[in-house]
Each structure stands twice: as structure tokens, then as C-alpha cells.
Amino acid sequence: MSPDHLATVERLLKLSRAELEKNASDEERILFIRNAGGTKLECVFVLAALLDIGLGEANQRVHLSRTWADQWAEDEAQQLTLTAVLEEAGGNLDLRK
């Protein structure tokens, strides 16, 4: 994560802790973070820190949220493209070249 993203995550985490009730739903938290200017990736990191959960679980909650539903089609298309490229490379794609 770049220093800019890290600074944004720290800002959003501080803001979320100050503004959100402890019993806020995941959806309320995710919506708050997005409305405060967070990207989807930043949302994942902030949610993981707020709830003390792993990044995988936070990613799933953010990806499946109503707040980010407008991105589902684009995200799925990117995943399909990535999967196709990896399969075409026989699962041995080396991006360090």
C-alpha cells in the first residue's frame, strides 16, 4: 500500500471511530467510509481495523455490500480477465520480468 493510501486509511479509521456508533452495522460503516472519500480498497483496510477481522473477511463484506454494488459488474469482469490470463499462462505467470 502506498504512503498516500496508508495516510488515507489512518484518517478514515480515526474519523470512523469518532463518528460511528459502536453498534453500527457493517453497511453503515462501509457507507460512511465511502462517503468520506474512501476507495474500495481503503474501505477493506478500515473495516478490518474497526472490526478486528482479517483482510479476507473484510474484503468479502465490502465486496458484497449494497454500498459497493455499483462496482460488482466491473469487479467480476476484472476477476474473469485475471483468471483467463492466469489459466492461459498455465498458472505460472511471472510479473517480475
Side-chain angles (χ1 to χ4, degrees):
M1 181 174 283
S2 74
D4 289 341
H5 281 291
L6 188 55
T8 300
V9 167
E10 289 174 0
R11 178 185 63 79
L12 291 169
L13 183 57
K14 212 179 266 190
L15 186 61
S16 295
R17 285 185 171 143
E19 296 293 327
L20 290 169
E21 298 290 326
K22 292 207 183 279
N23 62 351
S25 70
D26 286 354
E27 196 66 43
E28 290 170 322
R29 294 173 197 274
I30 294 166
L31 179 61
F32 180 84
I33 297 163
R34 188 174 190 186
N35 286 342
T39 65
K40 191 171 181 182
L41 179 62
E42 291 162 348
C43 243
V44 170
F45 278 90
V46 173
L47 189 67
L50 284 173
L51 300 179
D52 194 27
I53 59 176
L55 290 174
E57 180 160 345
N59 183 60
Q60 184 175 16
R61 292 182 189 193
V62 170
H63 178 68
L64 297 176
S65 69
R66 288 186 313 274
T67 299
W68 288 97
D70 62 318
Q71 296 291 308
W72 287 348
E74 183 179 329
D75 290 347
E76 293 302 319
Q78 288 176 355
Q79 184 63 42
L80 289 173
T81 300
L82 178 59
T83 300
V85 168
L86 289 172
E87 287 175 355
E88 191 174 300
N92 296 316
L93 185 62
D94 186 353
L95 299 176
R96 295 173 288 171
K97 295 178 184 177

